[in-house]
Amino acid sequence: MAEPSGSRHRSLYKLMGSPPWKQAFRQGCLERMRNSRDRLLNKYRQAGSNMPRRAQDTLLVQEVMEEEWHALQSMEGCPEALAQLEEPVDLAVLEEIRQELIDQEQSIISEYEKSLQFDEKCLSIILAEWEANSLICPVCTKYNLRITGGVVMCQCGLYIPCHSPELTEQQLRTCLEVTVNEHSTHCPHTPEFSVTGGTEEKSSLLMSCLACDTWAVII
């Protein structure tokens, strides 16, 4: 039968050791939190914006402390360390470690939120440029696309013979906007564009996103 969370928390406070092991426990917890970034962000994304901010403060902190505590308990060939783990500990010390982990957790989440804001800003800029008179190349995002004689071209080297010779810049613009907007409904990250294909088959303009592992053929 699983031990109640409150009981595990009290046991953790009772069993941690003397000064050298307090430092080892602190360093182990901080390193474990750094290495658990993906796990933390998965929990954060699953919780969503409906989760109270106070609850977000401890998304992974208690788990990290308990995991590191069990890791120290399982150390082999070090009876002195195990003996120290049986000594009482000042609760203020563990609370200080816990607060450090909360700060680190919030720093990871804050960095993630800033990256999302940056991606959203980049996406807005791309869409705004596409809505301007000139059609910006989605691959290099620097030069204008041109469609001449059924071929989509750009100064950056992009060269795609159209599968549909009647394709116009407005049709391509609409296709790009629709595809990007559809992607943004389920993923906050900015997709990338590339040209696929080789000499034996016609090249295609591909939109892909590593964050959500999706892709779409534009033309």
mmCIF file of all heavy atoms in Angstrom, residues 157-187:
data_model
loop_
_atom_site.group_PDB
_atom_site.id
_atom_site.type_symbol
_atom_site.label_atom_id
_atom_site.label_comp_id
_atom_site.label_asym_id
_atom_site.label_seq_id
_atom_site.Cartn_x
_atom_site.Cartn_y
_atom_site.Cartn_z
ATOM 1 N N GLY A 157 18.089 30.780 -53.429
ATOM 2 C CA GLY A 157 18.382 29.528 -54.118
ATOM 3 C C GLY A 157 17.190 28.606 -54.248
ATOM 4 O O GLY A 157 17.260 27.568 -54.911
ATOM 5 N N LEU A 158 16.090 28.955 -53.608
ATOM 6 C CA LEU A 158 14.883 28.135 -53.705
ATOM 7 C C LEU A 158 14.411 28.109 -55.161
ATOM 8 O O LEU A 158 14.295 29.145 -55.819
ATOM 9 C CB LEU A 158 13.796 28.708 -52.802
ATOM 10 C CG LEU A 158 12.444 27.976 -52.767
ATOM 11 C CD1 LEU A 158 11.849 28.034 -51.367
ATOM 12 C CD2 LEU A 158 11.466 28.593 -53.767
ATOM 13 N N TYR A 159 14.139 26.903 -55.645
ATOM 14 C CA TYR A 159 13.694 26.729 -57.032
ATOM 15 C C TYR A 159 12.776 25.515 -57.074
ATOM 16 O O TYR A 159 13.226 24.384 -56.911
ATOM 17 C CB TYR A 159 14.897 26.521 -57.953
ATOM 18 C CG TYR A 159 14.550 26.464 -59.427
ATOM 19 C CD1 TYR A 159 14.569 27.616 -60.207
ATOM 20 C CD2 TYR A 159 14.214 25.253 -60.031
ATOM 21 C CE1 TYR A 159 14.258 27.572 -61.561
ATOM 22 C CE2 TYR A 159 13.901 25.195 -61.378
ATOM 23 C CZ TYR A 159 13.923 26.358 -62.149
ATOM 24 O OH TYR A 159 13.609 26.306 -63.486
ATOM 25 N N ILE A 160 11.473 25.766 -57.239
ATOM 26 C CA ILE A 160 10.496 24.682 -57.200
ATOM 27 C C ILE A 160 9.573 24.766 -58.414
ATOM 28 O O ILE A 160 8.735 25.673 -58.498
ATOM 29 C CB ILE A 160 9.635 24.727 -55.922
ATOM 30 C CG1 ILE A 160 10.513 24.725 -54.671
ATOM 31 C CG2 ILE A 160 8.668 23.547 -55.888
ATOM 32 C CD1 ILE A 160 9.729 24.893 -53.380
ATOM 33 N N PRO A 161 9.714 23.848 -59.371
ATOM 34 C CA PRO A 161 8.744 23.786 -60.464
ATOM 35 C C PRO A 161 7.377 23.409 -59.892
ATOM 36 O O PRO A 161 7.244 22.447 -59.155
ATOM 37 C CB PRO A 161 9.294 22.668 -61.365
ATOM 38 C CG PRO A 161 10.740 22.551 -60.990
ATOM 39 C CD PRO A 161 10.801 22.878 -59.535
ATOM 40 N N CYS A 162 6.362 24.222 -60.186
ATOM 41 C CA CYS A 162 5.042 24.012 -59.589
ATOM 42 C C CYS A 162 4.394 22.743 -60.130
ATOM 43 O O CYS A 162 4.484 22.436 -61.321
ATOM 44 C CB CYS A 162 4.132 25.202 -59.880
ATOM 45 S SG CYS A 162 4.686 26.737 -59.130
ATOM 46 N N HIS A 163 3.721 22.025 -59.250
ATOM 47 C CA HIS A 163 2.908 20.895 -59.675
ATOM 48 C C HIS A 163 1.681 21.400 -60.422
ATOM 49 O O HIS A 163 1.094 20.687 -61.225
ATOM 50 C CB HIS A 163 2.488 20.066 -58.455
ATOM 51 C CG HIS A 163 3.656 19.494 -57.707
ATOM 52 N ND1 HIS A 163 4.275 18.332 -58.087
ATOM 53 C CD2 HIS A 163 4.343 19.950 -56.622
ATOM 54 C CE1 HIS A 163 5.287 18.079 -57.263
ATOM 55 N NE2 HIS A 163 5.339 19.054 -56.360
ATOM 56 N N SER A 164 1.298 22.648 -60.106
ATOM 57 C CA SER A 164 0.176 23.287 -60.788
ATOM 58 C C SER A 164 0.703 24.538 -61.495
ATOM 59 O O SER A 164 0.998 25.542 -60.842
ATOM 60 C CB SER A 164 -0.921 23.675 -59.784
ATOM 61 O OG SER A 164 -1.928 24.430 -60.422
ATOM 62 N N PRO A 165 0.839 24.506 -62.824
ATOM 63 C CA PRO A 165 1.396 25.652 -63.562
ATOM 64 C C PRO A 165 0.576 26.927 -63.393
ATOM 65 O O PRO A 165 1.088 28.020 -63.608
ATOM 66 C CB PRO A 165 1.365 25.171 -65.024
ATOM 67 C CG PRO A 165 1.302 23.685 -64.938
ATOM 68 C CD PRO A 165 0.525 23.377 -63.696
ATOM 69 N N GLU A 166 -0.687 26.802 -62.981
ATOM 70 C CA GLU A 166 -1.550 27.974 -62.834
ATOM 71 C C GLU A 166 -1.393 28.659 -61.469
ATOM 72 O O GLU A 166 -2.088 29.634 -61.166
ATOM 73 C CB GLU A 166 -3.027 27.590 -63.017
ATOM 74 C CG GLU A 166 -3.372 27.052 -64.396
ATOM 75 C CD GLU A 166 -3.014 25.582 -64.548
ATOM 76 O OE1 GLU A 166 -2.854 24.927 -63.494
ATOM 77 O OE2 GLU A 166 -2.878 25.115 -65.682
ATOM 78 N N LEU A 167 -0.500 28.142 -60.624
ATOM 79 C CA LEU A 167 -0.343 28.693 -59.273
ATOM 80 C C LEU A 167 0.038 30.167 -59.322
ATOM 81 O O LEU A 167 0.947 30.570 -60.051
ATOM 82 C CB LEU A 167 0.736 27.906 -58.511
ATOM 83 C CG LEU A 167 0.998 28.344 -57.062
ATOM 84 C CD1 LEU A 167 -0.178 27.978 -56.171
ATOM 85 C CD2 LEU A 167 2.280 27.695 -56.534
ATOM 86 N N THR A 168 -0.657 30.965 -58.519
ATOM 87 C CA THR A 168 -0.341 32.395 -58.412
ATOM 88 C C THR A 168 0.245 32.696 -57.038
ATOM 89 O O THR A 168 0.170 31.871 -56.114
ATOM 90 C CB THR A 168 -1.615 33.252 -58.605
ATOM 91 O OG1 THR A 168 -2.520 32.982 -57.505
ATOM 92 C CG2 THR A 168 -2.298 32.924 -59.920
ATOM 93 N N GLU A 169 0.825 33.895 -56.894
ATOM 94 C CA GLU A 169 1.393 34.289 -55.605
ATOM 95 C C GLU A 169 0.311 34.354 -54.530
ATOM 96 O O GLU A 169 0.549 33.972 -53.380
ATOM 97 C CB GLU A 169 2.098 35.645 -55.728
ATOM 98 C CG GLU A 169 3.401 35.586 -56.494
ATOM 99 C CD GLU A 169 4.176 36.893 -56.428
ATOM 100 O OE1 GLU A 169 3.811 37.761 -55.609
ATOM 101 O OE2 GLU A 169 5.142 37.053 -57.184
ATOM 102 N N GLN A 170 -0.865 34.834 -54.892
ATOM 103 C CA GLN A 170 -1.949 34.930 -53.921
ATOM 104 C C GLN A 170 -2.388 33.549 -53.455
ATOM 105 O O GLN A 170 -2.660 33.331 -52.264
ATOM 106 C CB GLN A 170 -3.144 35.679 -54.521
ATOM 107 C CG GLN A 170 -4.287 35.910 -53.532
ATOM 108 C CD GLN A 170 -3.843 36.633 -52.271
ATOM 109 O OE1 GLN A 170 -3.114 37.629 -52.346
ATOM 110 N NE2 GLN A 170 -4.250 36.132 -51.104
ATOM 111 N N GLN A 171 -2.454 32.584 -54.362
ATOM 112 C CA GLN A 171 -2.825 31.215 -53.984
ATOM 113 C C GLN A 171 -1.778 30.605 -53.058
ATOM 114 O O GLN A 171 -2.122 29.930 -52.083
ATOM 115 C CB GLN A 171 -2.990 30.354 -55.244
ATOM 116 C CG GLN A 171 -4.213 30.689 -56.067
ATOM 117 C CD GLN A 171 -4.246 29.940 -57.391
ATOM 118 O OE1 GLN A 171 -3.196 29.584 -57.937
ATOM 119 N NE2 GLN A 171 -5.443 29.698 -57.913
ATOM 120 N N LEU A 172 -0.499 30.838 -53.372
ATOM 121 C CA LEU A 172 0.577 30.321 -52.517
ATOM 122 C C LEU A 172 0.547 30.992 -51.151
ATOM 123 O O LEU A 172 0.720 30.339 -50.117
ATOM 124 C CB LEU A 172 1.931 30.545 -53.184
ATOM 125 C CG LEU A 172 3.163 30.072 -52.394
ATOM 126 C CD1 LEU A 172 3.032 28.605 -51.993
ATOM 127 C CD2 LEU A 172 4.438 30.298 -53.201
ATOM 128 N N ARG A 173 0.296 32.303 -51.120
ATOM 129 C CA ARG A 173 0.201 33.036 -49.860
ATOM 130 C C ARG A 173 -0.923 32.455 -48.993
ATOM 131 O O ARG A 173 -0.748 32.200 -47.805
ATOM 132 C CB ARG A 173 -0.070 34.516 -50.128
ATOM 133 C CG ARG A 173 -0.110 35.383 -48.864
ATOM 134 C CD ARG A 173 -0.796 36.712 -49.127
ATOM 135 N NE ARG A 173 -0.284 37.371 -50.297
ATOM 136 C CZ ARG A 173 0.818 38.149 -50.307
ATOM 137 N NH1 ARG A 173 1.485 38.333 -49.192
ATOM 138 N NH2 ARG A 173 1.211 38.713 -51.424
ATOM 139 N N THR A 174 -2.079 32.232 -49.600
ATOM 140 C CA THR A 174 -3.220 31.682 -48.874
ATOM 141 C C THR A 174 -2.912 30.295 -48.335
ATOM 142 O O THR A 174 -3.232 29.969 -47.181
ATOM 143 C CB THR A 174 -4.461 31.610 -49.788
ATOM 144 O OG1 THR A 174 -4.781 32.934 -50.240
ATOM 145 C CG2 THR A 174 -5.652 31.032 -49.040
ATOM 146 N N CYS A 175 -2.260 29.474 -49.153
ATOM 147 C CA CYS A 175 -1.901 28.114 -48.732
ATOM 148 C C CYS A 175 -0.950 28.137 -47.541
ATOM 149 O O CYS A 175 -1.105 27.372 -46.582
ATOM 150 C CB CYS A 175 -1.268 27.373 -49.905
ATOM 151 S SG CYS A 175 -0.951 25.621 -49.578
ATOM 152 N N LEU A 176 0.032 29.041 -47.589
ATOM 153 C CA LEU A 176 0.981 29.173 -46.478
ATOM 154 C C LEU A 176 0.273 29.621 -45.200
ATOM 155 O O LEU A 176 0.495 29.057 -44.124
ATOM 156 C CB LEU A 176 2.077 30.177 -46.841
ATOM 157 C CG LEU A 176 3.157 29.696 -47.812
ATOM 158 C CD1 LEU A 176 3.956 30.865 -48.355
ATOM 159 C CD2 LEU A 176 4.074 28.682 -47.140
ATOM 160 N N GLU A 177 -0.574 30.635 -45.309
ATOM 161 C CA GLU A 177 -1.261 31.164 -44.135
ATOM 162 C C GLU A 177 -2.177 30.123 -43.507
ATOM 163 O O GLU A 177 -2.216 29.965 -42.276
ATOM 164 C CB GLU A 177 -2.058 32.411 -44.521
ATOM 165 C CG GLU A 177 -1.186 33.609 -44.845
ATOM 166 C CD GLU A 177 -1.996 34.802 -45.302
ATOM 167 O OE1 GLU A 177 -3.221 34.646 -45.495
ATOM 168 O OE2 GLU A 177 -1.414 35.886 -45.473
ATOM 169 N N VAL A 178 -2.916 29.396 -44.339
ATOM 170 C CA VAL A 178 -3.835 28.376 -43.821
ATOM 171 C C VAL A 178 -3.061 27.275 -43.100
ATOM 172 O O VAL A 178 -3.433 26.851 -41.995
ATOM 173 C CB VAL A 178 -4.680 27.773 -44.968
ATOM 174 C CG1 VAL A 178 -5.418 26.521 -44.489
ATOM 175 C CG2 VAL A 178 -5.675 28.794 -45.486
ATOM 176 N N THR A 179 -1.962 26.827 -43.697
ATOM 177 C CA THR A 179 -1.176 25.741 -43.097
ATOM 178 C C THR A 179 -0.548 26.170 -41.779
ATOM 179 O O THR A 179 -0.567 25.425 -40.791
ATOM 180 C CB THR A 179 -0.077 25.270 -44.065
ATOM 181 O OG1 THR A 179 -0.663 24.960 -45.332
ATOM 182 C CG2 THR A 179 0.632 24.038 -43.522
ATOM 183 N N VAL A 180 0.007 27.383 -41.745
ATOM 184 C CA VAL A 180 0.631 27.889 -40.517
ATOM 185 C C VAL A 180 -0.411 28.089 -39.420
ATOM 186 O O VAL A 180 -0.194 27.737 -38.254
ATOM 187 C CB VAL A 180 1.384 29.204 -40.791
ATOM 188 C CG1 VAL A 180 1.811 29.868 -39.488
ATOM 189 C CG2 VAL A 180 2.612 28.934 -41.646
ATOM 190 N N ASN A 181 -1.561 28.642 -39.780
ATOM 191 C CA ASN A 181 -2.613 28.866 -38.782
ATOM 192 C C ASN A 181 -3.167 27.556 -38.235
ATOM 193 O O ASN A 181 -3.468 27.451 -37.034
ATOM 194 C CB ASN A 181 -3.744 29.701 -39.389
ATOM 195 C CG ASN A 181 -3.369 31.167 -39.527
ATOM 196 O OD1 ASN A 181 -2.599 31.698 -38.732
ATOM 197 N ND2 ASN A 181 -3.891 31.820 -40.547
ATOM 198 N N GLU A 182 -3.308 26.548 -39.084
ATOM 199 C CA GLU A 182 -3.772 25.236 -38.622
ATOM 200 C C GLU A 182 -2.785 24.646 -37.628
ATOM 201 O O GLU A 182 -3.167 24.067 -36.611
ATOM 202 C CB GLU A 182 -3.954 24.289 -39.813
ATOM 203 C CG GLU A 182 -5.195 24.561 -40.643
ATOM 204 C CD GLU A 182 -5.321 23.603 -41.819
ATOM 205 O OE1 GLU A 182 -4.374 22.815 -42.037
ATOM 206 O OE2 GLU A 182 -6.358 23.641 -42.506
ATOM 207 N N HIS A 183 -1.491 24.793 -37.924
ATOM 208 C CA HIS A 183 -0.465 24.283 -37.011
ATOM 209 C C HIS A 183 -0.509 25.011 -35.673
ATOM 210 O O HIS A 183 -0.372 24.404 -34.605
ATOM 211 C CB HIS A 183 0.918 24.425 -37.643
ATOM 212 C CG HIS A 183 2.052 24.129 -36.708
ATOM 213 N ND1 HIS A 183 2.716 25.117 -36.009
ATOM 214 C CD2 HIS A 183 2.609 22.946 -36.329
ATOM 215 C CE1 HIS A 183 3.642 24.563 -35.256
ATOM 216 N NE2 HIS A 183 3.609 23.258 -35.416
ATOM 217 N N SER A 184 -0.713 26.337 -35.709
ATOM 218 C CA SER A 184 -0.687 27.139 -34.482
ATOM 219 C C SER A 184 -1.862 26.828 -33.556
ATOM 220 O O SER A 184 -1.819 27.165 -32.371
ATOM 221 C CB SER A 184 -0.676 28.625 -34.817
ATOM 222 O OG SER A 184 -1.893 29.009 -35.429
ATOM 223 N N THR A 185 -2.910 26.178 -34.062
ATOM 224 C CA THR A 185 -4.047 25.844 -33.200
ATOM 225 C C THR A 185 -3.722 24.735 -32.211
ATOM 226 O O THR A 185 -4.386 24.596 -31.191
ATOM 227 C CB THR A 185 -5.269 25.402 -34.043
ATOM 228 O OG1 THR A 185 -4.920 24.238 -34.812
ATOM 229 C CG2 THR A 185 -5.716 26.524 -34.967
ATOM 230 N N HIS A 186 -2.686 23.931 -32.499
ATOM 231 C CA HIS A 186 -2.344 22.835 -31.583
ATOM 232 C C HIS A 186 -0.891 22.862 -31.116
ATOM 233 O O HIS A 186 -0.488 22.043 -30.279
ATOM 234 C CB HIS A 186 -2.632 21.471 -32.238
ATOM 235 C CG HIS A 186 -1.794 21.189 -33.463
ATOM 236 N ND1 HIS A 186 -0.514 20.717 -33.383
ATOM 237 C CD2 HIS A 186 -2.065 21.328 -34.777
ATOM 238 C CE1 HIS A 186 -0.028 20.558 -34.602
ATOM 239 N NE2 HIS A 186 -0.954 20.933 -35.466
ATOM 240 N N CYS A 187 -0.090 23.812 -31.642
ATOM 241 C CA CYS A 187 1.322 23.881 -31.220
ATOM 242 C C CYS A 187 1.756 25.343 -31.189
ATOM 243 O O CYS A 187 1.574 26.066 -32.176
ATOM 244 C CB CYS A 187 2.204 23.079 -32.172
ATOM 245 S SG CYS A 187 3.966 23.141 -31.752
#
